[in-house]
Amino acid sequence: MKKNRKSLILIALLLVTAMVLAACSQPTSSTNNEKDGVKESITIAVTGPLSGDYAQYGEAFRKGTALKVKEINANGGIDGKEVKILLMDDKNDPKEAANVAQRLVEDKRVVGVVGHFSSTASLATAPIYQKAGLVEFSPTASHPDFTKQGTYMFRNINTQAIEGPIVADMVVNKMQGKKIAVIYINNDWGITAKDNFTNAAKELGAEIVAEETFIGGQTKDFTPTLTKINEKKPDVLFLAAFYSETGMIAQQMKQLGYNIPMAGLSSLFNEELIKLAGDAVEGLYLSTNFFPGDTNPLVQDFITNFKVEYNSEPDQFAAVAYDTMGMMIEAIQTAGTDRAAIRDALAQMKDYPGVTGNTTFNENRDVVKSLKVLQIRDGKFTVVE
């Protein structure tokens, strides 16, 4: 009887041991294996300002990248693996962006990063991504020094060294701006945008009669600045700023009774500008890489799908984020999920057919894209020939 009992106990122990060993041998991550019908997945991080004064830009990033991922997954993902987005809010603050970057490089699921939004945030995070060997692919960081921070930095927008002179030509020759006043945001991007614009304007024979700056997210009253500028009697006011501050500047200038034509950069191409400022921004000129009126079938398909998904029309920031995610995915399709191999595949990419134009990286991982000139007419962004 005792022997039987001992035998039963021994058999039970052997069964438990076998079960434990079997469990330990099973895959533990759905990222690399298929288990219980769950597909393998590939994670790409998307980061930008999802809260605060610049949240509209982060929301455009979210919508553009999510639409591209939805389309890819609907067609089988990447080699049968589902693409997932890890969405992170950097608040457009360099310290918070650095914290986000540190978390992303330590997350082994993340194979690449689409972000950050501003040049300031992108420059702050670049050393972290470079040290870890993780691609930082910014849709919008236009500071010329961004891609100089390391070999893992890519951008999908013209640098200010390209955009600034084009806008300067528009201001001087189209708007007849011989005397120009400038208001710029006091950060890496704003200073660089201002310098590239003013240098080009001077070469074209214009005089810069005033240069005034402000702190992003803090300055709300522009009355003293506008009063000083109005005294200089400029032909044009150039704004190196984002839509929230530009809306306030335009409204306050109207309240003061100043009638100074305005011009800005692609940072202003956002419907929120018109919603915020109304007819105060009527007549404003700006540049852009993307315009919904483009008859290119790629552009029109994107707009149609975007409207179906979000019941709104995409702006330049949603479009360039959509393209950036598409390029990241194409690199993964080519190279697999190794972080270094993805970097190499991106660097070698040529003529990617995007909704913001065909894209090829130069030796510095920068792009050159054609720009359109827009003007706000009757409350709408309109192409200027």
Side-chain angles (χ1 to χ4, degrees):
M1 202 64 179
K2 288 183 178 179
K3 284 185 178 180
N4 289 340
R5 187 177 299 162
K6 286 182 179 179
S7 297
L8 289 171
I9 292 171
L10 181 60
I11 291 168
L13 286 171
L14 289 171
L15 285 170
V16 170
T17 303
M19 290 171 65
V20 170
L21 290 173
C24 291
S25 68
Q26 292 299 309
T28 58
S29 173
S30 62
T31 301
N32 301 309
N33 300 278
E34 185 166 341
K35 183 182 179 183
D36 298 329
V38 178
K39 284 186 177 181
E40 299 180 51
S41 61
I42 295 171
T43 301
I44 301 169
V46 174
T47 179
L50 298 170
S51 60
D53 290 338
Y54 305 107
Q56 192 71 19
Y57 297 107
E59 186 66 6
F61 274 23
R62 182 190 70 80
K63 290 179 177 178
T65 55
L67 180 60
K68 172 54 74 172
V69 166
K70 182 177 181 179
E71 292 171 356
I72 294 296
N73 285 335
N75 287 286
I78 300 176
D79 296 330
K81 301 179 182 70
E82 181 185 10
V83 180
K84 292 184 177 180
I85 290 176
L86 176 59
L87 191 62
M88 303 289 283
D89 181 11
D90 68 13
K91 299 179 174 59
N92 201 43
D93 175 80
K95 290 182 180 178
E96 184 63 27
N99 291 335
V100 167
Q102 192 60 51
R103 289 165 64 185
L104 293 178
V105 300
E106 292 172 358
D107 190 334
K108 300 306 180 185
R109 298 172 302 167
V110 176
V111 300
V113 179
V114 174
H116 298 244
F117 164 65
S118 70
S119 294
T120 300
S122 299
L123 286 164
T125 55
I128 299 169
Y129 292 119
Q130 180 65 26
K131 184 178 179 180
L134 180 63
V135 167
E136 177 185 16
F137 191 178
S138 173
T140 50
S142 59
H143 193 295
D145 288 346
F146 168 57
T147 51
K148 296 176 184 177
Q149 304 306 301
T151 56
Y152 280 79
M153 282 72 249
F154 293 77
R155 78 172 99 238
N156 199 16
I157 195 168
N158 291 322
T159 69
Q160 283 306 314
I162 295 171
E163 185 174 11
I166 291 173
V167 175
D169 180 73
M170 172 186 76
V171 169
V172 174
N173 294 317
K174 188 167 190 63
M175 300 179 69
Q176 299 300 305
K178 305 305 178 187
K179 297 170 63 179
I180 304 169
V182 177
I183 297 178
Y184 64 98
I185 187 170
N186 191 8
N187 62 20
D188 297 305
W189 174 82
I191 293 167
T192 302
K194 180 263 297 183
D195 288 345
N196 279 281
F197 171 83
T198 55
N199 290 339
K202 289 174 185 176
E203 289 180 4
L204 292 169
E207 178 187 2
I208 307 301
V209 297
E211 290 185 18
E212 299 291 337
T213 191
F214 66 92
I215 305 298
Q218 296 182 27
T219 306
K220 305 296 181 184
D221 182 9
F222 292 91
T223 301
T225 296
L226 291 170
T227 301
K228 287 167 63 177
I229 284 174
N230 189 61
E231 291 172 353
K232 301 292 184 179
K233 301 188 183 307
D235 301 317
V236 176
L237 171 60
F238 170 74
L239 299 158
F242 298 106
Y243 73 83
S244 54
E245 293 95 359
T246 298
M248 288 188 282
I249 290 168
Q251 286 178 314
Q252 291 174 32
M253 190 160 65
K254 182 181 178 181
Q255 290 165 1
L256 292 166
Y258 302 155
N259 186 25
I260 307 172
M262 294 180 290
L265 300 161
S266 56
S267 57
L268 301 183
F269 184 30
N270 192 302
E271 290 293 337
E272 286 298 308
L273 174 62
I274 298 173
K275 291 178 183 177
L276 285 171
D279 61 1
V281 289
E282 187 71 15
L284 182 146
Y285 282 87
L286 65 150
S287 56
T288 184
N289 286 122
F290 169 81
F291 184 64
D294 192 328
T295 57
N296 183 326
L298 275 177
V299 174
Q300 290 307 307
D301 286 346
F302 164 66
I303 292 168
T304 298
N305 294 336
F306 193 94
K307 285 180 176 178
V308 169
E309 189 71 18
Y310 302 113
N311 195 32
S312 63
E313 194 165 271
D315 61 12
Q316 169 179 307
F317 302 96
V320 75
Y322 175 88
D323 279 351
T324 304
M325 179 59 82
M327 295 173 73
M328 182 75 80
I329 287 171
E330 184 164 304
I332 296 168
Q333 289 170 328
T334 300
T337 56
D338 178 75
R339 290 176 170 184
I342 291 169
R343 191 223 79 87
D344 293 343
L346 268 177
Q348 295 164 16
M349 193 172 291
K350 296 185 183 301
D351 292 322
Y352 175 83
V355 298
T356 58
N358 283 7
T359 303
T360 298
F361 292 108
N362 64 16
E363 66 277 8
N364 300 315
R365 300 165 312 284
D366 296 329
V367 298
V368 177
K369 301 191 181 206
S370 61
L371 285 167
K372 295 177 174 63
V373 175
L374 305 181
Q375 186 182 28
I376 298 177
R377 295 177 181 172
D378 299 323
K380 296 180 180 179
F381 291 106
T382 306
V383 171
V384 176
E385 297 299 333

